[in-house]
Amino acid sequence: MSLPKILLSPPHLSGNEEKYIEQAIKTNWIAPLGPNVDAFERELSQYVGSKGAAVTSSGTAAIHLALELLDVGQGDKVFCSSFTFVASANPILYQGAEPVFIDSEPDTWNMSPHALERALEDAQSDGELPKAVIVVNLYGQSAKMDEIVSLCNQYGVPVVEDAAESLGSEYKGKKSGTFGKFGIYSFNGNKIITTSGGGMLVSDDEEALDRARFLATQAREPALHYEHCHMGYNYRLSNILAGVGRAQLEVLDDRVAARRRIFERYVDALADIPGIELMPELEGTLSNRWLTTFTIDPDVSPVKTDKIIQEMGERNIESRPLWKPLHLQPLFKGARFYPHEEDNVVSEQLFASGLCLPSGSSMSDEDQDRVIDAIKNSVRKQLASFVTS
Ligand SMILES: Cc1ncc(COP(=O)(O)O)c(C=O)c1O
């Protein structure tokens, strides 16, 4: 009989969810509005330190609303991190706009200010500055926000911070997701806290957030009958799920501590693998370590991470390659891309040599030991076959 499956990042309930769900049911607040929706928005904005928040049915919906609020339309350009999940960039396509992808840099694996600067210079000389820059904080690590925000301010381009994976993380003492005109979070089932599916748009512009709520409820005008002057969306979150979010938010700091502890155990156990580099944590930042990730330097070791993934799969352990850069995705064929340096494409190197490990905050030490054992075994076997071949 095989051992139970170890997942990458399963949901971890706090025990308080039922209390909020029961309240919602007892009071018949089952609609996508109600006391939990209002309270979840208030509590999350207090936690991250933004003036307000608008809850949505997904993180993708929150990005879409941000682009709509920034008036991104047909033919406009939007810059976006290349090294990310497709959800960061799909809303650019929803708007009929054109993505331009920006490479990563080695210190954070996130958007390279160096590449961004060249892209902005070119856009200015073409007379076509982007309508927005979507900067993503992957696996919990904040991008170099000082440099990125200062460049965008210099060119007057608004920043949308995709903090889907970095809720609870910090950059210079300030919560991740609060550095741009808009920030977004995801409460998808695999995130550090979850509502099963859901998202949040945050901003200091409360008028814009009111407009987001309007657009997210089919752009219904204030009238007795149903009056519509604009195209809208059905993007709000149920009051039941917002209740789940409230219970999850209560334990967010514990979840960050648990994932950081898991990361530290991996570091201790795996440090002696030749060529291994765990995802760095930039000085002055605190990563929620949503997923522990590492690369193996191909110049130092012949060990292949896809073989490790395969062997972990055989032991019923889920692991994944790092995100495939969006400029390599067939969906975005022909899109413009700015590498970190002309002959140094950081996101492609990361994709070719890295993987994500099971990192759920409910993972037991025994399960983590199973993961560590599987990795070490694969590395040992690969090195032995290399020596004998
Ligand atoms: C970086 C990133 N951006 C956006 C999203 C989209 O969030 P959602 O799944 O809630 O739409 C996710 C996760 O799913 C993500 O990892």
Side-chain angles (χ1 to χ4, degrees), residues 58-60 63 84-85 87-88 136 138 162 164-165 186 188 191 198 323:
S58 69
T60 313
I63 299 172
T84 183
F85 180 44
S88 305
V136 188
L138 282 187
D162 178 347
E165 300 178 5
S186 164
N188 188 22
K191 294 298 182 289
W323 295 121

Side-chain angles (χ1 to χ4, degrees), residues 58-68 87-89 91 134 160 162 184 201:
S58 69
T60 313
I63 299 172
H64 189 192
L65 290 171
L67 297 189
E68 180 84 34
S88 305
I134 301 174
V160 176
D162 178 347
I184 76 97
L201 180 68

Side-chain angles (χ1 to χ4, degrees), residues 131-267:
K131 276 284 186 72
V133 172
I134 301 174
V135 53
V136 188
N137 305 312
L138 282 187
Y139 307 121
Q141 173 59 52
S142 177
K144 291 185 168 170
M145 294 313 295
D146 277 354
E147 290 88 332
I148 290 167
V149 169
S150 130
L151 273 168
C152 289
N153 287 346
Q154 200 183 313
Y155 287 87
V157 180
V159 170
V160 176
E161 196 182 356
D162 178 347
E165 300 178 5
S166 64
L167 178 59
S169 302
E170 291 176 12
Y171 179 90
K172 301 192 176 170
K174 196 169 170 250
K175 292 289 182 197
S176 185
T178 58
F179 289 83
K181 167 81 186 168
F182 295 107
I184 76 97
Y185 302 105
S186 164
F187 310 118
N188 188 22
N190 64 358
K191 294 298 182 289
I192 192 154
I193 62 168
T194 181
T195 58
S196 77
M200 194 78 84
L201 180 68
V202 296
S203 180
D204 285 340
D205 183 343
E206 291 181 277
E207 239 174 76
L209 290 173
D210 281 342
R211 175 112 188 128
R213 288 186 197 95
F214 164 77
L215 292 170
T217 40
Q218 306 287 17
R220 187 180 165 196
E221 301 290 340
L224 192 59
H225 60 280
Y226 284 81
E227 178 81 3
H228 300 277
C229 308
H230 300 274
M231 186 180 78
Y233 307 94
N234 183 3
Y235 275 173
R236 288 290 266 170
L237 190 73
S238 142
N239 190 61
I240 297 180
L241 297 183
V244 175
R246 293 182 71 190
Q248 289 271 291
L249 189 59
E250 289 170 356
V251 294
L252 174 55
D253 286 341
D254 297 342
R255 300 301 186 243
V256 173
R259 289 196 191 237
R260 287 181 64 84
R261 195 183 77 86
I262 286 165
F263 173 83
E264 291 303 335
R265 275 191 98 234
Y266 277 133
V267 172

Side-chain angles (χ1 to χ4, degrees), residues 59-112:
T60 313
I63 299 172
H64 189 192
L65 290 171
L67 297 189
E68 180 84 34
L69 292 165
L70 293 171
D71 201 27
V72 172
Q74 194 72 33
D76 287 334
K77 293 216 161 39
V78 175
F79 290 2
C80 183
S81 303
S82 183
F83 187 51
T84 183
F85 180 44
V86 71
S88 305
N90 266 336
I92 303 171
L93 302 184
Y94 302 166
Q95 296 301 89
E98 198 186 306
V100 173
F101 292 113
I102 313 293
D103 199 12
S104 300
E105 51 79 29
D107 300 337
T108 63
W109 296 8
N110 288 311
M111 186 178 277
S112 157

